[in-house]
Amino acid sequence: MLRLPKVMAEEIIAHCQARYPKEACGLLAGAEGRVAQVYPMTNVEDSPIGYAMDPKEQLRVEKQMRANGQRMVGIYHSHTASEASPSSVDVRLAISPEFSYVLVSLQDRQQPVLKSYRIDGTTVIPEEVFQVQ
Ligand SMILES: [Zn+2]
């Protein structure tokens, strides 16, 4: 289960909306499955059908997380023309079953859909998102 404060779910969705029709991506930091901070990242692919993070920016943000006593709990990105489920590329690029993979679908921009998954090898396991205050 991913515990996601409501304001942070809104922050993630706002970032995805701002980047539309390109995909947006970012990192989620916190502890024990509870998100404490959203770190919007640059999609260096600058694409509507994929994303990649800048390794330098990622290092900087991971350093910042450590300085804040946080660790990475997840990664989010948007799908602008498909459902909120991991694509075969997303599954292939997933690095750890320890992370929550949060997907935001803007297929219907008026009704963004946010879902979370664990990806273990090629196994995709939907994860409950519990919106907390
Ligand atoms: Zn994707």
mmCIF file of all heavy atoms in Angstrom, residues 3-44:
data_model
loop_
_atom_site.group_PDB
_atom_site.id
_atom_site.type_symbol
_atom_site.label_atom_id
_atom_site.label_comp_id
_atom_site.label_asym_id
_atom_site.label_seq_id
_atom_site.Cartn_x
_atom_site.Cartn_y
_atom_site.Cartn_z
ATOM 1 N N ARG A 3 0.884 5.136 0.914
ATOM 2 C CA ARG A 3 0.139 6.199 1.592
ATOM 3 C C ARG A 3 0.585 7.545 1.013
ATOM 4 O O ARG A 3 1.752 7.901 1.092
ATOM 5 C CB ARG A 3 0.358 6.121 3.099
ATOM 6 C CG ARG A 3 -0.523 5.038 3.723
ATOM 7 C CD ARG A 3 -0.163 4.775 5.150
ATOM 8 N NE ARG A 3 1.224 4.307 5.232
ATOM 9 C CZ ARG A 3 1.938 4.294 6.353
ATOM 10 N NH1 ARG A 3 1.421 4.748 7.463
ATOM 11 N NH2 ARG A 3 3.168 3.836 6.348
ATOM 12 N N LEU A 4 -0.381 8.201 0.403
ATOM 13 C CA LEU A 4 -0.082 9.413 -0.343
ATOM 14 C C LEU A 4 -0.951 10.563 0.162
ATOM 15 O O LEU A 4 -2.169 10.549 -0.012
ATOM 16 C CB LEU A 4 -0.368 9.146 -1.833
ATOM 17 C CG LEU A 4 -0.084 10.243 -2.830
ATOM 18 C CD1 LEU A 4 1.392 10.594 -2.881
ATOM 19 C CD2 LEU A 4 -0.561 9.825 -4.225
ATOM 20 N N PRO A 5 -0.314 11.548 0.807
ATOM 21 C CA PRO A 5 -1.107 12.703 1.248
ATOM 22 C C PRO A 5 -1.815 13.345 0.050
ATOM 23 O O PRO A 5 -1.239 13.443 -1.038
ATOM 24 C CB PRO A 5 -0.058 13.639 1.852
ATOM 25 C CG PRO A 5 1.044 12.725 2.288
ATOM 26 C CD PRO A 5 1.077 11.622 1.259
ATOM 27 N N LYS A 6 -3.061 13.751 0.288
ATOM 28 C CA LYS A 6 -3.904 14.298 -0.768
ATOM 29 C C LYS A 6 -3.233 15.454 -1.507
ATOM 30 O O LYS A 6 -3.286 15.519 -2.729
ATOM 31 C CB LYS A 6 -5.212 14.790 -0.128
ATOM 32 C CG LYS A 6 -6.407 14.684 -1.017
ATOM 33 C CD LYS A 6 -7.679 14.950 -0.209
ATOM 34 C CE LYS A 6 -8.926 14.762 -1.062
ATOM 35 N NZ LYS A 6 -8.953 15.494 -2.313
ATOM 36 N N VAL A 7 -2.574 16.353 -0.764
ATOM 37 C CA VAL A 7 -1.934 17.508 -1.409
ATOM 38 C C VAL A 7 -0.833 17.058 -2.363
ATOM 39 O O VAL A 7 -0.564 17.721 -3.371
ATOM 40 C CB VAL A 7 -1.320 18.513 -0.393
ATOM 41 C CG1 VAL A 7 -2.399 19.318 0.277
ATOM 42 C CG2 VAL A 7 -0.415 17.858 0.613
ATOM 43 N N MET A 8 -0.198 15.942 -2.038
ATOM 44 C CA MET A 8 0.885 15.466 -2.898
ATOM 45 C C MET A 8 0.350 14.769 -4.142
ATOM 46 O O MET A 8 0.943 14.876 -5.217
ATOM 47 C CB MET A 8 1.835 14.578 -2.113
ATOM 48 C CG MET A 8 2.608 15.432 -1.117
ATOM 49 S SD MET A 8 3.644 14.520 -0.013
ATOM 50 C CE MET A 8 3.871 15.810 1.234
ATOM 51 N N ALA A 9 -0.789 14.091 -4.003
ATOM 52 C CA ALA A 9 -1.451 13.525 -5.185
ATOM 53 C C ALA A 9 -1.810 14.677 -6.125
ATOM 54 O O ALA A 9 -1.601 14.596 -7.344
ATOM 55 C CB ALA A 9 -2.701 12.754 -4.773
ATOM 56 N N GLU A 10 -2.304 15.769 -5.544
ATOM 57 C CA GLU A 10 -2.667 16.939 -6.360
ATOM 58 C C GLU A 10 -1.441 17.558 -7.020
ATOM 59 O O GLU A 10 -1.493 18.000 -8.166
ATOM 60 C CB GLU A 10 -3.406 17.976 -5.491
ATOM 61 C CG GLU A 10 -4.839 17.555 -5.219
ATOM 62 C CD GLU A 10 -5.477 18.269 -4.020
ATOM 63 O OE1 GLU A 10 -4.836 19.176 -3.439
ATOM 64 O OE2 GLU A 10 -6.607 17.896 -3.668
ATOM 65 N N GLU A 11 -0.327 17.563 -6.277
ATOM 66 C CA GLU A 11 0.922 18.116 -6.804
ATOM 67 C C GLU A 11 1.417 17.287 -8.013
ATOM 68 O O GLU A 11 1.849 17.843 -9.026
ATOM 69 C CB GLU A 11 1.963 18.093 -5.682
ATOM 70 C CG GLU A 11 3.156 18.976 -5.898
ATOM 71 C CD GLU A 11 4.141 18.905 -4.725
ATOM 72 O OE1 GLU A 11 3.734 18.590 -3.585
ATOM 73 O OE2 GLU A 11 5.340 19.144 -4.975
ATOM 74 N N ILE A 12 1.339 15.967 -7.874
ATOM 75 C CA ILE A 12 1.759 15.068 -8.964
ATOM 76 C C ILE A 12 0.893 15.316 -10.195
ATOM 77 O O ILE A 12 1.396 15.493 -11.308
ATOM 78 C CB ILE A 12 1.654 13.589 -8.522
ATOM 79 C CG1 ILE A 12 2.684 13.281 -7.432
ATOM 80 C CG2 ILE A 12 1.821 12.648 -9.720
ATOM 81 C CD1 ILE A 12 2.461 11.936 -6.723
ATOM 82 N N ILE A 13 -0.414 15.358 -9.986
ATOM 83 C CA ILE A 13 -1.337 15.538 -11.108
ATOM 84 C C ILE A 13 -1.141 16.907 -11.762
ATOM 85 O O ILE A 13 -1.127 17.019 -12.987
ATOM 86 C CB ILE A 13 -2.795 15.302 -10.657
ATOM 87 C CG1 ILE A 13 -2.990 13.805 -10.367
ATOM 88 C CG2 ILE A 13 -3.794 15.785 -11.710
ATOM 89 C CD1 ILE A 13 -4.264 13.447 -9.637
ATOM 90 N N ALA A 14 -0.902 17.938 -10.937
ATOM 91 C CA ALA A 14 -0.680 19.286 -11.481
ATOM 92 C C ALA A 14 0.582 19.306 -12.352
ATOM 93 O O ALA A 14 0.601 19.942 -13.417
ATOM 94 C CB ALA A 14 -0.564 20.306 -10.350
ATOM 95 N N HIS A 15 1.620 18.613 -11.917
ATOM 96 C CA HIS A 15 2.855 18.553 -12.710
ATOM 97 C C HIS A 15 2.580 17.859 -14.045
ATOM 98 O O HIS A 15 3.022 18.326 -15.098
ATOM 99 C CB HIS A 15 3.961 17.830 -11.921
ATOM 100 C CG HIS A 15 5.242 17.665 -12.676
ATOM 101 N ND1 HIS A 15 5.992 16.513 -12.613
ATOM 102 C CD2 HIS A 15 5.891 18.488 -13.540
ATOM 103 C CE1 HIS A 15 7.056 16.655 -13.413
ATOM 104 N NE2 HIS A 15 7.028 17.839 -13.972
ATOM 105 N N CYS A 16 1.837 16.758 -13.993
ATOM 106 C CA CYS A 16 1.522 16.020 -15.225
ATOM 107 C C CYS A 16 0.681 16.868 -16.172
ATOM 108 O O CYS A 16 0.925 16.889 -17.382
ATOM 109 C CB CYS A 16 0.810 14.713 -14.895
ATOM 110 S SG CYS A 16 1.846 13.550 -13.950
ATOM 111 N N GLN A 17 -0.276 17.590 -15.605
ATOM 112 C CA GLN A 17 -1.122 18.477 -16.434
ATOM 113 C C GLN A 17 -0.285 19.574 -17.079
ATOM 114 O O GLN A 17 -0.481 19.922 -18.254
ATOM 115 C CB GLN A 17 -2.224 19.128 -15.578
ATOM 116 C CG GLN A 17 -3.298 18.171 -15.072
ATOM 117 C CD GLN A 17 -4.403 17.894 -16.094
ATOM 118 O OE1 GLN A 17 -4.221 18.045 -17.298
ATOM 119 N NE2 GLN A 17 -5.556 17.452 -15.597
ATOM 120 N N ALA A 18 0.677 20.114 -16.312
ATOM 121 C CA ALA A 18 1.497 21.226 -16.810
ATOM 122 C C ALA A 18 2.369 20.786 -17.989
ATOM 123 O O ALA A 18 2.681 21.590 -18.865
ATOM 124 C CB ALA A 18 2.363 21.781 -15.685
ATOM 125 N N ARG A 19 2.784 19.525 -17.990
ATOM 126 C CA ARG A 19 3.668 19.020 -19.049
ATOM 127 C C ARG A 19 2.889 18.477 -20.250
ATOM 128 O O ARG A 19 3.479 18.161 -21.273
ATOM 129 C CB ARG A 19 4.606 17.941 -18.494
ATOM 130 C CG ARG A 19 5.578 18.430 -17.440
ATOM 131 C CD ARG A 19 6.522 19.509 -17.963
ATOM 132 N NE ARG A 19 7.257 19.040 -19.134
ATOM 133 C CZ ARG A 19 7.584 19.791 -20.180
ATOM 134 N NH1 ARG A 19 7.251 21.057 -20.204
ATOM 135 N NH2 ARG A 19 8.239 19.274 -21.201
ATOM 136 N N TYR A 20 1.589 18.279 -20.085
ATOM 137 C CA TYR A 20 0.763 17.741 -21.162
ATOM 138 C C TYR A 20 0.974 18.539 -22.441
ATOM 139 O O TYR A 20 1.048 19.762 -22.353
ATOM 140 C CB TYR A 20 -0.711 17.781 -20.732
ATOM 141 C CG TYR A 20 -1.655 17.140 -21.704
ATOM 142 C CD1 TYR A 20 -2.021 15.812 -21.570
ATOM 143 C CD2 TYR A 20 -2.182 17.889 -22.762
ATOM 144 C CE1 TYR A 20 -2.887 15.226 -22.483
ATOM 145 C CE2 TYR A 20 -3.034 17.297 -23.678
ATOM 146 C CZ TYR A 20 -3.386 15.969 -23.533
ATOM 147 O OH TYR A 20 -4.230 15.387 -24.437
ATOM 148 N N PRO A 21 1.093 17.983 -23.644
ATOM 149 C CA PRO A 21 0.886 16.568 -24.001
ATOM 150 C C PRO A 21 2.148 15.703 -23.866
ATOM 151 O O PRO A 21 2.130 14.560 -24.278
ATOM 152 C CB PRO A 21 0.458 16.648 -25.461
ATOM 153 C CG PRO A 21 1.215 17.835 -25.983
ATOM 154 C CD PRO A 21 1.288 18.815 -24.837
ATOM 155 N N LYS A 22 3.220 16.269 -23.285
ATOM 156 C CA LYS A 22 4.416 15.462 -23.045
ATOM 157 C C LYS A 22 4.226 14.678 -21.751
ATOM 158 O O LYS A 22 3.428 15.074 -20.893
ATOM 159 C CB LYS A 22 5.647 16.374 -22.908
ATOM 160 C CG LYS A 22 5.863 17.347 -24.066
ATOM 161 C CD LYS A 22 6.532 16.672 -25.242
ATOM 162 C CE LYS A 22 6.709 17.612 -26.418
ATOM 163 N NZ LYS A 22 7.643 18.725 -26.157
ATOM 164 N N GLU A 23 4.977 13.620 -21.606
ATOM 165 C CA GLU A 23 4.945 12.878 -20.346
ATOM 166 C C GLU A 23 5.730 13.652 -19.290
ATOM 167 O O GLU A 23 6.737 14.287 -19.595
ATOM 168 C CB GLU A 23 5.545 11.471 -20.518
ATOM 169 C CG GLU A 23 4.650 10.532 -21.303
ATOM 170 C CD GLU A 23 5.057 9.053 -21.190
ATOM 171 O OE1 GLU A 23 5.955 8.717 -20.405
ATOM 172 O OE2 GLU A 23 4.458 8.246 -21.923
ATOM 173 N N ALA A 24 5.253 13.584 -18.062
ATOM 174 C CA ALA A 24 5.960 14.179 -16.927
ATOM 175 C C ALA A 24 6.481 13.039 -16.060
ATOM 176 O O ALA A 24 5.937 11.928 -16.093
ATOM 177 C CB ALA A 24 5.007 15.041 -16.109
ATOM 178 N N CYS A 25 7.545 13.320 -15.295
ATOM 179 C CA CYS A 25 8.078 12.286 -14.408
ATOM 180 C C CYS A 25 8.613 12.918 -13.134
ATOM 181 O O CYS A 25 8.890 14.121 -13.093
ATOM 182 C CB CYS A 25 9.169 11.479 -15.112
ATOM 183 S SG CYS A 25 10.560 12.466 -15.714
ATOM 184 N N GLY A 26 8.764 12.107 -12.123
ATOM 185 C CA GLY A 26 9.297 12.623 -10.865
ATOM 186 C C GLY A 26 9.567 11.516 -9.881
ATOM 187 O O GLY A 26 9.246 10.345 -10.128
ATOM 188 N N LEU A 27 10.175 11.905 -8.781
ATOM 189 C CA LEU A 27 10.522 10.944 -7.731
ATOM 190 C C LEU A 27 9.700 11.239 -6.485
ATOM 191 O O LEU A 27 9.322 12.384 -6.226
ATOM 192 C CB LEU A 27 12.020 11.049 -7.402
ATOM 193 C CG LEU A 27 12.990 10.790 -8.559
ATOM 194 C CD1 LEU A 27 14.428 10.994 -8.091
ATOM 195 C CD2 LEU A 27 12.799 9.389 -9.130
ATOM 196 N N LEU A 28 9.435 10.178 -5.721
ATOM 197 C CA LEU A 28 8.689 10.309 -4.478
ATOM 198 C C LEU A 28 9.585 9.874 -3.330
ATOM 199 O O LEU A 28 10.181 8.799 -3.369
ATOM 200 C CB LEU A 28 7.442 9.417 -4.519
ATOM 201 C CG LEU A 28 6.497 9.681 -5.701
ATOM 202 C CD1 LEU A 28 5.393 8.628 -5.739
ATOM 203 C CD2 LEU A 28 5.906 11.082 -5.607
ATOM 204 N N ALA A 29 9.659 10.724 -2.319
ATOM 205 C CA ALA A 29 10.510 10.416 -1.174
ATOM 206 C C ALA A 29 9.659 10.305 0.071
ATOM 207 O O ALA A 29 8.581 10.890 0.168
ATOM 208 C CB ALA A 29 11.551 11.506 -0.985
ATOM 209 N N GLY A 30 10.147 9.536 1.019
ATOM 210 C CA GLY A 30 9.429 9.397 2.272
ATOM 211 C C GLY A 30 10.027 8.279 3.081
ATOM 212 O O GLY A 30 11.233 8.051 3.033
ATOM 213 N N ALA A 31 9.165 7.562 3.776
ATOM 214 C CA ALA A 31 9.615 6.420 4.564
ATOM 215 C C ALA A 31 8.450 5.466 4.753
ATOM 216 O O ALA A 31 7.301 5.901 4.860
ATOM 217 C CB ALA A 31 10.149 6.886 5.914
ATOM 218 N N GLU A 32 8.754 4.187 4.776
ATOM 219 C CA GLU A 32 7.770 3.137 5.035
ATOM 220 C C GLU A 32 6.476 3.297 4.234
ATOM 221 O O GLU A 32 5.375 3.226 4.782
ATOM 222 C CB GLU A 32 7.455 3.075 6.537
ATOM 223 C CG GLU A 32 8.591 2.438 7.320
ATOM 224 C CD GLU A 32 8.626 2.900 8.765
ATOM 225 O OE1 GLU A 32 7.568 3.338 9.272
ATOM 226 O OE2 GLU A 32 9.696 2.819 9.376
ATOM 227 N N GLY A 33 6.638 3.509 2.942
ATOM 228 C CA GLY A 33 5.476 3.549 2.070
ATOM 229 C C GLY A 33 4.608 4.771 2.213
ATOM 230 O O GLY A 33 3.513 4.838 1.665
ATOM 231 N N ARG A 34 5.117 5.771 2.929
ATOM 232 C CA ARG A 34 4.358 7.017 3.021
ATOM 233 C C ARG A 34 5.157 8.126 2.340
ATOM 234 O O ARG A 34 6.330 8.358 2.673
ATOM 235 C CB ARG A 34 4.094 7.398 4.480
ATOM 236 C CG ARG A 34 3.184 8.627 4.575
ATOM 237 C CD ARG A 34 3.113 9.187 5.990
ATOM 238 N NE ARG A 34 2.529 10.521 5.952
ATOM 239 C CZ ARG A 34 1.274 10.786 6.284
ATOM 240 N NH1 ARG A 34 0.491 9.831 6.710
ATOM 241 N NH2 ARG A 34 0.803 12.023 6.203
ATOM 242 N N VAL A 35 4.514 8.780 1.402
ATOM 243 C CA VAL A 35 5.201 9.832 0.667
ATOM 244 C C VAL A 35 5.257 11.095 1.527
ATOM 245 O O VAL A 35 4.256 11.526 2.089
ATOM 246 C CB VAL A 35 4.483 10.128 -0.670
ATOM 247 C CG1 VAL A 35 5.192 11.245 -1.428
ATOM 248 C CG2 VAL A 35 4.423 8.859 -1.526
ATOM 249 N N ALA A 36 6.467 11.662 1.626
ATOM 250 C CA ALA A 36 6.646 12.883 2.410
ATOM 251 C C ALA A 36 6.968 14.079 1.511
ATOM 252 O O ALA A 36 6.797 15.221 1.903
ATOM 253 C CB ALA A 36 7.758 12.698 3.436
ATOM 254 N N GLN A 37 7.466 13.775 0.308
ATOM 255 C CA GLN A 37 7.808 14.866 -0.605
ATOM 256 C C GLN A 37 7.813 14.408 -2.052
ATOM 257 O O GLN A 37 8.252 13.290 -2.351
ATOM 258 C CB GLN A 37 9.175 15.443 -0.236
ATOM 259 C CG GLN A 37 9.400 16.816 -0.850
ATOM 260 C CD GLN A 37 10.610 17.531 -0.241
ATOM 261 O OE1 GLN A 37 11.093 17.162 0.823
ATOM 262 N NE2 GLN A 37 11.092 18.546 -0.926
ATOM 263 N N VAL A 38 7.321 15.286 -2.909
ATOM 264 C CA VAL A 38 7.292 15.031 -4.351
ATOM 265 C C VAL A 38 8.421 15.837 -4.987
ATOM 266 O O VAL A 38 8.572 17.028 -4.702
ATOM 267 C CB VAL A 38 5.930 15.480 -4.947
ATOM 268 C CG1 VAL A 38 5.915 15.333 -6.460
ATOM 269 C CG2 VAL A 38 4.793 14.684 -4.314
ATOM 270 N N TYR A 39 9.221 15.173 -5.798
ATOM 271 C CA TYR A 39 10.294 15.864 -6.516
ATOM 272 C C TYR A 39 10.023 15.776 -8.028
ATOM 273 O O TYR A 39 10.362 14.767 -8.655
ATOM 274 C CB TYR A 39 11.645 15.222 -6.215
ATOM 275 C CG TYR A 39 12.138 15.402 -4.792
ATOM 276 C CD1 TYR A 39 11.818 14.482 -3.797
ATOM 277 C CD2 TYR A 39 12.944 16.487 -4.451
ATOM 278 C CE1 TYR A 39 12.281 14.642 -2.498
ATOM 279 C CE2 TYR A 39 13.413 16.656 -3.154
ATOM 280 C CZ TYR A 39 13.083 15.728 -2.188
ATOM 281 O OH TYR A 39 13.542 15.879 -0.893
ATOM 282 N N PRO A 40 9.395 16.818 -8.595
ATOM 283 C CA PRO A 40 9.182 16.808 -10.048
ATOM 284 C C PRO A 40 10.534 16.813 -10.755
ATOM 285 O O PRO A 40 11.453 17.510 -10.323
ATOM 286 C CB PRO A 40 8.437 18.119 -10.314
ATOM 287 C CG PRO A 40 7.939 18.560 -8.972
ATOM 288 C CD PRO A 40 8.925 18.058 -7.970
ATOM 289 N N MET A 41 10.657 16.016 -11.806
ATOM 290 C CA MET A 41 11.918 15.912 -12.530
ATOM 291 C C MET A 41 11.702 16.339 -13.979
ATOM 292 O O MET A 41 10.586 16.342 -14.489
ATOM 293 C CB MET A 41 12.422 14.468 -12.503
ATOM 294 C CG MET A 41 12.616 13.895 -11.109
ATOM 295 S SD MET A 41 14.067 14.532 -10.246
ATOM 296 C CE MET A 41 15.364 13.701 -11.149
ATOM 297 N N THR A 42 12.810 16.650 -14.647
ATOM 298 C CA THR A 42 12.758 16.994 -16.063
ATOM 299 C C THR A 42 12.687 15.715 -16.887
ATOM 300 O O THR A 42 13.467 14.791 -16.652
ATOM 301 C CB THR A 42 14.041 17.756 -16.456
ATOM 302 O OG1 THR A 42 14.227 18.823 -15.529
ATOM 303 C CG2 THR A 42 13.950 18.304 -17.863
ATOM 304 N N ASN A 43 11.752 15.667 -17.818
ATOM 305 C CA ASN A 43 11.734 14.562 -18.781
ATOM 306 C C ASN A 43 12.667 14.953 -19.922
ATOM 307 O O ASN A 43 12.291 15.718 -20.805
ATOM 308 C CB ASN A 43 10.313 14.320 -19.296
ATOM 309 C CG ASN A 43 10.268 13.228 -20.355
ATOM 310 O OD1 ASN A 43 11.277 12.605 -20.670
ATOM 311 N ND2 ASN A 43 9.079 12.993 -20.895
ATOM 312 N N VAL A 44 13.885 14.417 -19.892
ATOM 313 C CA VAL A 44 14.859 14.830 -20.909
ATOM 314 C C VAL A 44 14.519 14.272 -22.290
ATOM 315 O O VAL A 44 15.034 14.748 -23.296
ATOM 316 C CB VAL A 44 16.320 14.467 -20.516
ATOM 317 C CG1 VAL A 44 16.781 15.331 -19.342
ATOM 318 C CG2 VAL A 44 16.484 13.002 -20.192
#
